[in-house]
Amino acid sequence: MALVTLGLSHHRAPVEARDRLSFTHADLPSALTRLRALPGVDEAAILSTCNRTEIMAVAPPDHETRLLEWWRRERAVPEGYIERYLYTHRDLGSVTHSLRVAAGLDSLIVGEPQILGQMKQSYSVASEVRAVGPVLTRLFQHAFAVAKLVRSQTQVGAHPVSVAYAAVQMARRIFSDLHQQTALLIGAGETMQLVGRHLRQHGVGRIVVANRSLERAEKLARELHGYAISLSDLPAYLADADLVVSSTAARGLIIERSTMQRALQSRRRKPVFMIDLAVPRDIDPRIAELEDIYLYSIDDLRDVITQNMKLREEAARQAEVLVRTQAEEFARWLESRDAGATIQAIRARARASRDEVLEKARRRLAAGEPPEAVLAFVADTLSNKILHAPSRVLRRADAVEQAMLLNAARRLFELPEE
């Protein structure tokens, strides 16, 4: 069995591709159940965020094509579409990648903490549907511990840098004074909590929180000293919004072009700054064509993010050293786990040989053979049985393979070097 990760991320895949190939939180339980049901897949997990979608599996090495075909069918994309953006990691590479992701070293903004919570959520869902087993469970737990270690031993998370922070920085470029502006936040998840806190810190005039669940909107609005509405009331509040930030898990568009056109009619040429942080998108991209609208997607935040990443480069280098060390430690555990299974098989075969020889010895004793002769029989027969298979393999091996096997045999039996 191999540990394999198939994925795509913001590094190579545009937002449109990430849209098409992502899984919503509601999709995950059923998708994981189908993935785990594939022949040969012992364990599985799916991590799907606005910036990446990854399939992790414990499966035979030749099953990567099968996993890829499953992903293609699930998202109904043509053959060859995923391969344009795909990366593949195996065994130690897969472990290292997972630890880097958990520590925020592979994120759009290096060191951002959100991905750790998203990984924990993915692991929780996979556990609930019993898609993970001993290997992935240990890998996730190890990744969580390493992420904590990275944050405690480096400065990679010391600066307030995140997608939410970058969004607010961009808003401050458009509006020199946020005190006079009304912000409409669509969604009540972790991203919108961070956006709201940053806006509050920079003194935004008014915050309105819209969410499908009014209860969750009210909870976030209380924290931000704002006002809560349901998504159905959104059109009535769009005209008052100077800044619109959206991040939901909805499959369809939240704000259509026609809805925004009606809102603009009563704004009298006052500009609207809109940021769509959702994947799939919440805001119709065609809204960018309207006058007085400044619409940005998550990919447009790259310039702001690039500047902030410089603050973390040295800390990230230190974190990479920690990650490599911890990945190698996990790989050693994987190897010892494989060795343990082999050792058990060897012991089981030795016990079976022992029991067979002892039974023959009892029959010889019962037939009246001298004990000394029976003991000699036991010693000779047992030695021959244990050494028969290794000796046969050594004799049949070619010169190169024989040299490798002889070296391994000397180590296993602690023989002196020739």
Side-chain angles (χ1 to χ4, degrees):
M1 286 293 171
L3 178 59
V4 61
T5 301
L6 303 179
L8 53 87
S9 73
H10 56 90
H11 291 301
R12 290 178 56 194
V15 66
E16 292 81 6
R18 302 200 304 270
D19 275 3
R20 291 189 69 178
L21 295 167
S22 65
F23 294 84
T24 68
H25 186 70
D27 291 338
L28 283 180
S30 57
L32 278 167
T33 300
R34 292 189 293 272
L35 177 58
R36 177 65 181 80
L38 290 177
V41 176
D42 282 0
E43 304 180 39
I46 298 173
L47 173 64
S48 193
T49 73
C50 58
N51 282 328
R52 74 179 63 247
T53 295
E54 295 182 353
I55 293 171
M56 305 165 65
V58 177
D62 59 354
H63 275 43
E64 289 176 17
T65 302
R66 184 173 294 180
L67 293 170
L68 193 58
E69 288 172 352
W70 175 87
W71 193 358
R72 186 184 300 122
R73 288 196 307 271
E74 287 286 317
R75 297 296 91 186
V77 295
E79 190 170 346
Y81 183 81
I82 301 177
E83 288 86 339
R84 298 180 209 169
Y85 318 109
L86 185 72
Y87 51 78
T88 304
H89 298 290
R90 303 171 189 87
D91 297 323
L92 177 59
S94 187
V95 174
T96 304
H97 177 75
S98 293
L99 301 193
R100 292 187 73 251
V101 170
L105 299 179
D106 195 59
S107 297
L108 185 59
I109 300 177
V110 173
E112 63 92 3
Q114 274 182 279
I115 187 64
L116 184 59
Q118 292 163 332
M119 283 187 76
K120 289 181 176 179
Q121 206 169 42
S122 294
Y123 171 63
S124 177
V125 174
S127 296
E128 286 172 8
V129 298
R130 299 182 179 180
V132 291
V135 174
L136 287 184
T137 294
R138 183 158 180 143
L139 177 57
F140 272 106
Q141 297 299 339
H142 192 58
F144 302 154
V146 170
K148 184 177 180 181
L149 187 68
V150 165
R151 294 198 172 276
S152 65
Q153 295 193 9
T154 74
Q155 294 293 303
V156 74
H159 308 288
V161 186
S162 66
V163 169
Y165 181 78
V168 175
Q169 288 290 85
M170 189 174 282
R172 292 179 68 202
R173 292 181 182 181
I174 302 295
F175 303 108
S176 57
D177 182 11
L178 289 176
H179 291 79
Q180 304 300 317
Q181 313 305 323
T182 293
L184 173 59
L185 309 185
I186 305 173
E190 187 176 352
T191 298
M192 299 315 295
Q193 292 172 27
L194 291 171
V195 170
R197 288 169 192 158
H198 287 309
L199 286 171
R200 179 57 61 193
Q201 287 170 7
H202 290 293
V204 72
R206 180 178 179 230
I207 294 179
V208 179
V209 181
N211 194 57
R212 198 175 304 278
S213 164
L214 184 58
E215 183 181 352
R216 291 193 67 189
E218 289 172 342
K219 181 180 178 182
L220 179 55
R222 281 194 299 271
E223 180 187 333
L224 302 175
H225 305 288
Y227 182 73
I229 64 171
S230 66
L231 279 185
S232 59
D233 294 326
L234 191 60
Y237 286 82
L238 270 177
D240 295 327
D242 305 297
L243 168 62
V244 179
V245 186
S246 188
S247 178
T248 76
R251 269 287 168 196
L253 294 172
I254 299 296
I255 303 178
E256 302 277 358
R257 189 178 192 273
S258 57
T259 305
M260 197 65 216
Q261 276 181 308
R262 288 192 292 272
L264 284 176
Q265 290 171 3
S266 59
R267 284 189 61 83
R268 298 180 181 179
R269 303 300 303 262
K270 286 178 64 180
V272 182
F273 178 53
M274 307 180 79
I275 303 179
D276 191 348
L277 299 178
V279 176
R281 295 184 185 185
D282 286 340
I283 301 174
D284 190 338
R286 296 176 302 160
I287 289 176
E289 302 165 1
L290 301 175
E291 284 193 55
D292 303 314
I293 293 287
Y294 301 89
L295 173 60
Y296 296 87
S297 72
I298 195 168
D299 286 346
D300 295 319
L301 299 179
R302 287 184 183 274
D303 290 341
V304 178
I305 288 164
T306 300
Q307 295 175 21
N308 295 332
M309 281 176 65
K310 293 177 182 178
L311 299 171
R312 300 189 174 191
E313 286 179 356
E314 178 56 36
R317 283 192 286 270
Q318 298 170 8
E320 293 284 8
V321 174
L322 267 175
V323 163
R324 282 197 299 272
T325 303
Q326 293 296 322
E328 289 165 2
E329 181 180 314
F330 188 88
R332 284 193 292 273
W333 172 79
L334 273 179
E335 290 170 2
S336 68
R337 186 172 178 271
D338 291 341
T342 302
I343 290 168
Q344 286 180 358
I346 291 171
R347 289 184 179 277
R349 176 172 287 189
R351 284 194 295 269
S353 296
R354 177 202 63 190
D355 294 343
E356 180 185 345
V357 173
L358 282 176
E359 180 58 31
K360 290 179 179 178
R362 291 189 187 98
R363 289 200 295 268
R364 289 189 174 215
L365 286 172
E369 284 194 35
E372 293 81 2
V374 174
L375 284 173
F377 163 78
V378 169
D380 291 342
T381 307
L382 203 52
S383 297
N384 289 334
K385 276 186 171 291
I386 291 172
L387 297 175
H388 174 70
S391 300
R392 185 182 68 233
V393 171
L394 277 171
R395 281 194 295 269
R396 291 179 178 178
D398 60 35
V400 175
E401 187 180 18
Q402 192 175 78
M404 294 174 61
L405 289 170
L406 286 170
N407 185 52
R410 289 190 193 100
R411 292 177 60 194
L412 286 170
F413 293 99
E414 298 181 345
L415 300 175
E417 292 292 332
E418 289 185 353

Short mmCIF file of all heavy atoms in Angstrom, two decimals, residues 35-88:
data_model
loop_
_atom_site.label_atom_id
_atom_site.label_comp_id
_atom_site.label_asym_id
_atom_site.label_seq_id
_atom_site.Cartn_x
_atom_site.Cartn_y
_atom_site.Cartn_z
N LEU A 35 -15.72 7.32 -2.46
CA LEU A 35 -14.27 7.19 -2.67
C LEU A 35 -13.71 6.00 -1.90
O LEU A 35 -12.93 5.20 -2.43
CB LEU A 35 -13.58 8.48 -2.22
CG LEU A 35 -12.04 8.52 -2.27
CD1 LEU A 35 -11.55 8.26 -3.69
CD2 LEU A 35 -11.53 9.87 -1.77
N ARG A 36 -14.13 5.87 -0.66
CA ARG A 36 -13.65 4.75 0.18
C ARG A 36 -14.12 3.41 -0.36
O ARG A 36 -13.46 2.38 -0.14
CB ARG A 36 -14.17 4.97 1.61
CG ARG A 36 -13.85 3.89 2.61
CD ARG A 36 -12.37 3.77 2.86
NE ARG A 36 -12.11 2.71 3.81
CZ ARG A 36 -12.08 1.43 3.52
NH1 ARG A 36 -12.27 1.03 2.27
NH2 ARG A 36 -11.85 0.52 4.45
N ALA A 37 -15.24 3.41 -1.09
CA ALA A 37 -15.78 2.16 -1.63
C ALA A 37 -15.04 1.67 -2.86
O ALA A 37 -15.26 0.53 -3.31
CB ALA A 37 -17.26 2.34 -1.96
N LEU A 38 -14.14 2.48 -3.42
CA LEU A 38 -13.37 2.03 -4.59
C LEU A 38 -12.52 0.82 -4.22
O LEU A 38 -11.90 0.81 -3.15
CB LEU A 38 -12.46 3.15 -5.10
CG LEU A 38 -13.10 4.37 -5.77
CD1 LEU A 38 -12.03 5.37 -6.13
CD2 LEU A 38 -13.88 3.95 -7.01
N PRO A 39 -12.46 -0.20 -5.07
CA PRO A 39 -11.63 -1.37 -4.78
C PRO A 39 -10.18 -0.97 -4.54
O PRO A 39 -9.60 -0.20 -5.30
CB PRO A 39 -11.76 -2.22 -6.05
CG PRO A 39 -13.04 -1.78 -6.68
CD PRO A 39 -13.18 -0.33 -6.36
N GLY A 40 -9.61 -1.48 -3.44
CA GLY A 40 -8.21 -1.23 -3.14
C GLY A 40 -7.95 -0.01 -2.29
O GLY A 40 -6.84 0.18 -1.78
N VAL A 41 -8.95 0.88 -2.12
CA VAL A 41 -8.76 2.08 -1.31
C VAL A 41 -9.03 1.74 0.16
O VAL A 41 -10.18 1.55 0.55
CB VAL A 41 -9.67 3.24 -1.78
CG1 VAL A 41 -9.53 4.45 -0.87
CG2 VAL A 41 -9.33 3.62 -3.21
N ASP A 42 -7.98 1.67 0.96
CA ASP A 42 -8.12 1.32 2.37
C ASP A 42 -8.56 2.50 3.23
O ASP A 42 -9.31 2.33 4.19
CB ASP A 42 -6.79 0.79 2.92
CG ASP A 42 -6.53 -0.65 2.49
OD1 ASP A 42 -7.38 -1.21 1.78
OD2 ASP A 42 -5.49 -1.20 2.88
N GLU A 43 -8.07 3.69 2.89
CA GLU A 43 -8.40 4.90 3.65
C GLU A 43 -8.49 6.06 2.67
O GLU A 43 -7.85 6.05 1.62
CB GLU A 43 -7.33 5.21 4.70
CG GLU A 43 -7.06 4.09 5.68
CD GLU A 43 -5.99 4.48 6.69
OE1 GLU A 43 -5.98 5.64 7.15
OE2 GLU A 43 -5.14 3.62 7.02
N ALA A 44 -9.28 7.09 3.04
CA ALA A 44 -9.42 8.25 2.15
C ALA A 44 -9.83 9.48 2.92
O ALA A 44 -10.48 9.40 3.96
CB ALA A 44 -10.44 7.95 1.06
N ALA A 45 -9.42 10.63 2.41
CA ALA A 45 -9.84 11.93 2.96
C ALA A 45 -9.83 12.94 1.82
O ALA A 45 -9.11 12.79 0.84
CB ALA A 45 -8.92 12.37 4.08
N ILE A 46 -10.66 13.99 1.96
CA ILE A 46 -10.71 15.05 0.96
C ILE A 46 -10.59 16.39 1.68
O ILE A 46 -11.34 16.67 2.62
CB ILE A 46 -12.03 15.02 0.16
CG1 ILE A 46 -12.16 13.71 -0.62
CG2 ILE A 46 -12.12 16.21 -0.80
CD1 ILE A 46 -13.51 13.54 -1.31
N LEU A 47 -9.65 17.19 1.22
CA LEU A 47 -9.49 18.56 1.71
C LEU A 47 -9.88 19.49 0.57
O LEU A 47 -9.26 19.46 -0.49
CB LEU A 47 -8.04 18.82 2.13
CG LEU A 47 -7.68 20.26 2.51
CD1 LEU A 47 -8.46 20.72 3.74
CD2 LEU A 47 -6.18 20.40 2.74
N SER A 48 -10.92 20.29 0.75
CA SER A 48 -11.39 21.18 -0.32
C SER A 48 -11.65 22.56 0.26
O SER A 48 -12.53 22.74 1.10
CB SER A 48 -12.65 20.62 -0.97
OG SER A 48 -12.93 21.28 -2.18
N THR A 49 -10.86 23.54 -0.17
CA THR A 49 -11.00 24.92 0.28
C THR A 49 -11.07 25.81 -0.95
O THR A 49 -11.03 25.33 -2.08
CB THR A 49 -9.79 25.34 1.15
OG1 THR A 49 -8.65 25.52 0.29
CG2 THR A 49 -9.47 24.28 2.21
N CYS A 50 -11.13 27.12 -0.73
CA CYS A 50 -11.20 28.03 -1.87
C CYS A 50 -9.91 28.02 -2.69
O CYS A 50 -9.92 28.40 -3.86
CB CYS A 50 -11.52 29.45 -1.40
SG CYS A 50 -10.32 30.12 -0.23
N ASN A 51 -8.81 27.59 -2.08
CA ASN A 51 -7.53 27.62 -2.78
C ASN A 51 -6.99 26.26 -3.18
O ASN A 51 -5.98 26.19 -3.89
CB ASN A 51 -6.47 28.33 -1.92
CG ASN A 51 -6.64 29.83 -1.97
OD1 ASN A 51 -7.08 30.38 -2.97
ND2 ASN A 51 -6.33 30.50 -0.88
N ARG A 52 -7.61 25.18 -2.73
CA ARG A 52 -7.08 23.86 -3.08
C ARG A 52 -8.15 22.80 -2.92
O ARG A 52 -9.09 22.94 -2.11
CB ARG A 52 -5.88 23.51 -2.19
CG ARG A 52 -6.21 23.13 -0.76
CD ARG A 52 -4.97 22.78 0.04
NE ARG A 52 -4.08 23.92 0.17
CZ ARG A 52 -2.88 23.98 -0.38
NH1 ARG A 52 -2.42 22.97 -1.10
NH2 ARG A 52 -2.12 25.04 -0.22
N THR A 53 -8.00 21.72 -3.68
CA THR A 53 -8.76 20.49 -3.45
C THR A 53 -7.77 19.35 -3.55
O THR A 53 -7.01 19.25 -4.52
CB THR A 53 -9.89 20.30 -4.48
OG1 THR A 53 -10.86 21.35 -4.30
CG2 THR A 53 -10.58 18.95 -4.29
N GLU A 54 -7.76 18.49 -2.53
CA GLU A 54 -6.82 17.38 -2.48
C GLU A 54 -7.53 16.10 -2.08
O GLU A 54 -8.38 16.11 -1.18
CB GLU A 54 -5.69 17.66 -1.48
CG GLU A 54 -4.81 18.83 -1.89
CD GLU A 54 -3.67 19.09 -0.93
OE1 GLU A 54 -3.62 18.45 0.15
OE2 GLU A 54 -2.82 19.93 -1.27
N ILE A 55 -7.16 15.02 -2.74
CA ILE A 55 -7.64 13.69 -2.40
C ILE A 55 -6.48 12.92 -1.82
O ILE A 55 -5.44 12.77 -2.46
CB ILE A 55 -8.22 12.98 -3.64
CG1 ILE A 55 -9.49 13.70 -4.11
CG2 ILE A 55 -8.52 11.51 -3.33
CD1 ILE A 55 -9.99 13.21 -5.44
N MET A 56 -6.63 12.43 -0.60
CA MET A 56 -5.60 11.64 0.06
C MET A 56 -6.11 10.21 0.19
O MET A 56 -7.27 10.00 0.54
CB MET A 56 -5.29 12.22 1.44
CG MET A 56 -4.89 13.68 1.41
SD MET A 56 -4.95 14.44 3.06
CE MET A 56 -3.66 13.51 3.89
N ALA A 57 -5.24 9.25 -0.10
CA ALA A 57 -5.69 7.86 -0.03
C ALA A 57 -4.54 6.94 0.34
O ALA A 57 -3.38 7.21 0.05
CB ALA A 57 -6.28 7.43 -1.37
N VAL A 58 -4.90 5.87 1.01
CA VAL A 58 -3.99 4.74 1.23
C VAL A 58 -4.48 3.65 0.28
O VAL A 58 -5.55 3.09 0.47
CB VAL A 58 -4.02 4.27 2.69
CG1 VAL A 58 -3.12 3.05 2.87
CG2 VAL A 58 -3.57 5.39 3.63
N ALA A 59 -3.69 3.41 -0.76
CA ALA A 59 -4.10 2.50 -1.82
C ALA A 59 -2.87 1.96 -2.54
O ALA A 59 -1.78 2.51 -2.38
CB ALA A 59 -5.02 3.24 -2.80
N PRO A 60 -3.02 0.90 -3.33
CA PRO A 60 -1.88 0.41 -4.10
C PRO A 60 -1.34 1.49 -5.03
O PRO A 60 -2.10 2.33 -5.52
CB PRO A 60 -2.49 -0.75 -4.91
CG PRO A 60 -3.67 -1.19 -4.11
CD PRO A 60 -4.22 0.05 -3.49
N PRO A 61 -0.03 1.49 -5.27
CA PRO A 61 0.58 2.54 -6.11
C PRO A 61 -0.04 2.67 -7.49
O PRO A 61 -0.08 3.76 -8.06
CB PRO A 61 2.04 2.10 -6.20
CG PRO A 61 2.27 1.24 -5.01
CD PRO A 61 0.97 0.54 -4.75
N ASP A 62 -0.54 1.56 -8.05
CA ASP A 62 -1.09 1.62 -9.41
C ASP A 62 -2.54 2.11 -9.44
O ASP A 62 -3.19 2.08 -10.49
CB ASP A 62 -0.99 0.24 -10.07
CG ASP A 62 -1.74 -0.83 -9.29
OD1 ASP A 62 -2.24 -0.54 -8.18
OD2 ASP A 62 -1.84 -1.97 -9.80
N HIS A 63 -3.06 2.57 -8.29
CA HIS A 63 -4.45 3.03 -8.23
C HIS A 63 -4.61 4.53 -8.45
O HIS A 63 -5.72 5.06 -8.36
CB HIS A 63 -5.08 2.66 -6.88
CG HIS A 63 -5.64 1.28 -6.85
ND1 HIS A 63 -4.98 0.20 -7.39
CD2 HIS A 63 -6.81 0.80 -6.35
CE1 HIS A 63 -5.72 -0.89 -7.21
NE2 HIS A 63 -6.83 -0.55 -6.59
N GLU A 64 -3.52 5.25 -8.73
CA GLU A 64 -3.63 6.69 -8.91
C GLU A 64 -4.56 7.04 -10.07
O GLU A 64 -5.35 7.98 -9.98
CB GLU A 64 -2.24 7.29 -9.14
CG GLU A 64 -1.38 7.28 -7.89
CD GLU A 64 0.02 7.78 -8.15
OE1 GLU A 64 0.24 8.44 -9.19
OE2 GLU A 64 0.91 7.51 -7.31
N THR A 65 -4.48 6.28 -11.15
CA THR A 65 -5.36 6.52 -12.30
C THR A 65 -6.81 6.31 -11.92
O THR A 65 -7.70 7.08 -12.33
CB THR A 65 -4.98 5.59 -13.47
OG1 THR A 65 -3.62 5.81 -13.82
CG2 THR A 65 -5.86 5.86 -14.68
N ARG A 66 -7.07 5.29 -11.10
CA ARG A 66 -8.44 5.02 -10.66
C ARG A 66 -8.98 6.18 -9.81
O ARG A 66 -10.14 6.57 -9.93
CB ARG A 66 -8.46 3.71 -9.86
CG ARG A 66 -9.84 3.27 -9.43
CD ARG A 66 -9.80 1.88 -8.80
NE ARG A 66 -9.42 0.86 -9.77
CZ ARG A 66 -9.31 -0.43 -9.48
NH1 ARG A 66 -9.53 -0.85 -8.24
NH2 ARG A 66 -8.96 -1.30 -10.41
N LEU A 67 -8.13 6.73 -8.93
CA LEU A 67 -8.54 7.86 -8.10
C LEU A 67 -8.84 9.08 -8.98
O LEU A 67 -9.82 9.81 -8.74
CB LEU A 67 -7.43 8.20 -7.11
CG LEU A 67 -7.14 7.17 -6.02
CD1 LEU A 67 -5.86 7.54 -5.27
CD2 LEU A 67 -8.30 7.05 -5.05
N LEU A 68 -8.00 9.30 -9.97
CA LEU A 68 -8.19 10.43 -10.87
C LEU A 68 -9.48 10.29 -11.67
O LEU A 68 -10.24 11.26 -11.85
CB LEU A 68 -6.99 10.52 -11.81
CG LEU A 68 -6.82 11.81 -12.63
CD1 LEU A 68 -6.72 13.01 -11.72
CD2 LEU A 68 -5.59 11.71 -13.51
N GLU A 69 -9.78 9.09 -12.15
CA GLU A 69 -11.01 8.85 -12.89
C GLU A 69 -12.23 9.08 -12.00
O GLU A 69 -13.25 9.62 -12.45
CB GLU A 69 -11.01 7.42 -13.44
CG GLU A 69 -10.03 7.21 -14.59
CD GLU A 69 -9.90 5.75 -14.99
OE1 GLU A 69 -10.47 4.89 -14.27
OE2 GLU A 69 -9.23 5.46 -16.00
N TRP A 70 -12.12 8.68 -10.74
CA TRP A 70 -13.23 8.90 -9.80
C TRP A 70 -13.49 10.40 -9.63
O TRP A 70 -14.64 10.85 -9.69
CB TRP A 70 -12.87 8.28 -8.44
CG TRP A 70 -13.89 8.58 -7.39
CD1 TRP A 70 -15.03 7.88 -7.10
CD2 TRP A 70 -13.89 9.69 -6.48
NE1 TRP A 70 -15.73 8.48 -6.09
CE2 TRP A 70 -15.06 9.58 -5.68
CE3 TRP A 70 -13.01 10.74 -6.25
CZ2 TRP A 70 -15.36 10.52 -4.68
CZ3 TRP A 70 -13.32 11.67 -5.26
CH2 TRP A 70 -14.46 11.56 -4.49
N TRP A 71 -12.42 11.17 -9.45
CA TRP A 71 -12.55 12.62 -9.30
C TRP A 71 -13.19 13.23 -10.55
O TRP A 71 -14.06 14.09 -10.46
CB TRP A 71 -11.17 13.20 -9.05
CG TRP A 71 -11.13 14.62 -8.57
CD1 TRP A 71 -12.19 15.46 -8.35
CD2 TRP A 71 -9.96 15.38 -8.24
NE1 TRP A 71 -11.75 16.68 -7.91
CE2 TRP A 71 -10.39 16.67 -7.84
CE3 TRP A 71 -8.59 15.09 -8.26
CZ2 TRP A 71 -9.49 17.66 -7.45
CZ3 TRP A 71 -7.69 16.08 -7.88
CH2 TRP A 71 -8.14 17.35 -7.48
N ARG A 72 -12.77 12.78 -11.71
CA ARG A 72 -13.31 13.29 -12.97
C ARG A 72 -14.82 13.02 -13.06
O ARG A 72 -15.60 13.90 -13.45
CB ARG A 72 -12.58 12.64 -14.14
CG ARG A 72 -12.95 13.20 -15.51
CD ARG A 72 -12.25 12.44 -16.63
NE ARG A 72 -10.80 12.52 -16.50
CZ ARG A 72 -10.00 11.48 -16.39
NH1 ARG A 72 -10.50 10.25 -16.39
NH2 ARG A 72 -8.70 11.63 -16.29
N ARG A 73 -15.23 11.81 -12.67
CA ARG A 73 -16.66 11.48 -12.72
C ARG A 73 -17.45 12.30 -11.71
O ARG A 73 -18.55 12.79 -12.00
CB ARG A 73 -16.86 9.98 -12.42
CG ARG A 73 -16.41 9.05 -13.52
CD ARG A 73 -16.99 7.65 -13.30
NE ARG A 73 -16.70 7.14 -11.97
CZ ARG A 73 -15.61 6.43 -11.66
NH1 ARG A 73 -14.69 6.19 -12.59
NH2 ARG A 73 -15.42 5.99 -10.43
N GLU A 74 -16.92 12.46 -10.51
CA GLU A 74 -17.62 13.19 -9.46
C GLU A 74 -17.90 14.63 -9.87
O GLU A 74 -18.95 15.18 -9.55
CB GLU A 74 -16.78 13.18 -8.17
CG GLU A 74 -16.75 11.86 -7.45
CD GLU A 74 -18.07 11.56 -6.73
OE1 GLU A 74 -18.63 12.49 -6.11
OE2 GLU A 74 -18.52 10.41 -6.80
N ARG A 75 -16.95 15.25 -10.54
CA ARG A 75 -17.10 16.67 -10.90
C ARG A 75 -17.55 16.85 -12.35
O ARG A 75 -17.69 17.99 -12.83
CB ARG A 75 -15.80 17.43 -10.68
CG ARG A 75 -15.34 17.47 -9.24
CD ARG A 75 -16.32 18.23 -8.35
NE ARG A 75 -17.31 17.32 -7.77
CZ ARG A 75 -18.36 17.70 -7.06
NH1 ARG A 75 -18.60 18.97 -6.87
NH2 ARG A 75 -19.19 16.83 -6.56
N ALA A 76 -17.75 15.74 -13.06
CA ALA A 76 -18.28 15.77 -14.44
C ALA A 76 -17.45 16.69 -15.35
O ALA A 76 -17.97 17.60 -16.01
CB ALA A 76 -19.74 16.21 -14.44
N VAL A 77 -16.14 16.46 -15.36
CA VAL A 77 -15.26 17.25 -16.22
C VAL A 77 -14.69 16.34 -17.31
O VAL A 77 -14.60 15.13 -17.14
CB VAL A 77 -14.10 17.90 -15.42
CG1 VAL A 77 -14.64 18.91 -14.43
CG2 VAL A 77 -13.26 16.85 -14.71
N PRO A 78 -14.30 16.90 -18.45
CA PRO A 78 -13.79 16.08 -19.56
C PRO A 78 -12.44 15.46 -19.24
O PRO A 78 -11.69 15.95 -18.37
CB PRO A 78 -13.69 17.06 -20.71
CG PRO A 78 -13.60 18.40 -20.08
CD PRO A 78 -14.39 18.32 -18.82
N GLU A 79 -12.11 14.41 -19.94
CA GLU A 79 -10.82 13.74 -19.78
C GLU A 79 -9.68 14.71 -20.09
O GLU A 79 -9.74 15.45 -21.06
CB GLU A 79 -10.74 12.51 -20.69
CG GLU A 79 -9.56 11.63 -20.41
CD GLU A 79 -9.63 10.31 -21.16
OE1 GLU A 79 -10.73 9.98 -21.70
OE2 GLU A 79 -8.61 9.62 -21.22
N GLY A 80 -8.67 14.72 -19.24
CA GLY A 80 -7.52 15.60 -19.44
C GLY A 80 -7.65 16.94 -18.74
O GLY A 80 -6.67 17.69 -18.64
N TYR A 81 -8.85 17.27 -18.24
CA TYR A 81 -9.05 18.59 -17.63
C TYR A 81 -8.27 18.72 -16.32
O TYR A 81 -7.57 19.72 -16.10
CB TYR A 81 -10.54 18.81 -17.37
CG TYR A 81 -10.87 20.18 -16.81
CD1 TYR A 81 -10.97 21.29 -17.65
CD2 TYR A 81 -11.08 20.36 -15.44
CE1 TYR A 81 -11.26 22.55 -17.13
CE2 TYR A 81 -11.37 21.62 -14.92
CZ TYR A 81 -11.46 22.70 -15.77
OH TYR A 81 -11.75 23.94 -15.26
N ILE A 82 -8.39 17.72 -15.45
CA ILE A 82 -7.71 17.79 -14.15
C ILE A 82 -6.20 17.77 -14.33
O ILE A 82 -5.46 18.47 -13.61
CB ILE A 82 -8.16 16.62 -13.24
CG1 ILE A 82 -9.68 16.65 -13.02
CG2 ILE A 82 -7.44 16.68 -11.89
CD1 ILE A 82 -10.20 15.50 -12.19
N GLU A 83 -5.73 16.97 -15.28
CA GLU A 83 -4.29 16.80 -15.47
C GLU A 83 -3.56 18.11 -15.77
O GLU A 83 -2.36 18.22 -15.51
CB GLU A 83 -4.02 15.80 -16.59
CG GLU A 83 -4.33 14.36 -16.23
CD GLU A 83 -5.79 13.99 -16.46
OE1 GLU A 83 -6.64 14.90 -16.51
OE2 GLU A 83 -6.09 12.79 -16.59
N ARG A 84 -4.26 19.10 -16.28
CA ARG A 84 -3.62 20.38 -16.60
C ARG A 84 -3.06 21.04 -15.34
O ARG A 84 -2.07 21.79 -15.41
CB ARG A 84 -4.63 21.35 -17.22
CG ARG A 84 -5.22 20.90 -18.53
CD ARG A 84 -6.20 21.96 -19.01
NE ARG A 84 -7.27 21.39 -19.81
CZ ARG A 84 -8.37 22.06 -20.18
NH1 ARG A 84 -8.51 23.32 -19.82
NH2 ARG A 84 -9.30 21.48 -20.90
N TYR A 85 -3.70 20.79 -14.22
CA TYR A 85 -3.35 21.51 -12.98
C TYR A 85 -2.87 20.57 -11.87
O TYR A 85 -2.52 21.02 -10.79
CB TYR A 85 -4.58 22.28 -12.48
CG TYR A 85 -5.35 22.98 -13.57
CD1 TYR A 85 -6.62 22.52 -13.97
CD2 TYR A 85 -4.82 24.09 -14.21
CE1 TYR A 85 -7.32 23.17 -14.97
CE2 TYR A 85 -5.51 24.74 -15.22
CZ TYR A 85 -6.76 24.27 -15.60
OH TYR A 85 -7.45 24.92 -16.60
N LEU A 86 -2.84 19.29 -12.15
CA LEU A 86 -2.66 18.28 -11.10
C LEU A 86 -1.23 18.21 -10.57
O LEU A 86 -0.27 18.37 -11.30
CB LEU A 86 -3.04 16.91 -11.67
CG LEU A 86 -3.04 15.74 -10.70
CD1 LEU A 86 -4.21 15.82 -9.73
CD2 LEU A 86 -3.08 14.42 -11.47
N TYR A 87 -1.13 17.98 -9.25
CA TYR A 87 0.15 17.55 -8.66
C TYR A 87 -0.10 16.25 -7.91
O TYR A 87 -1.21 15.99 -7.43
CB TYR A 87 0.76 18.61 -7.74
CG TYR A 87 -0.15 19.16 -6.66
CD1 TYR A 87 -0.43 18.44 -5.50
CD2 TYR A 87 -0.71 20.44 -6.79
CE1 TYR A 87 -1.25 18.96 -4.50
CE2 TYR A 87 -1.52 20.96 -5.80
CZ TYR A 87 -1.78 20.23 -4.66
OH TYR A 87 -2.59 20.75 -3.68
N THR A 88 0.93 15.44 -7.83
CA THR A 88 0.84 14.14 -7.17
C THR A 88 2.00 13.99 -6.20
O THR A 88 3.15 14.28 -6.54
CB THR A 88 0.89 12.99 -8.20
OG1 THR A 88 -0.15 13.17 -9.16
CG2 THR A 88 0.69 11.64 -7.51
#
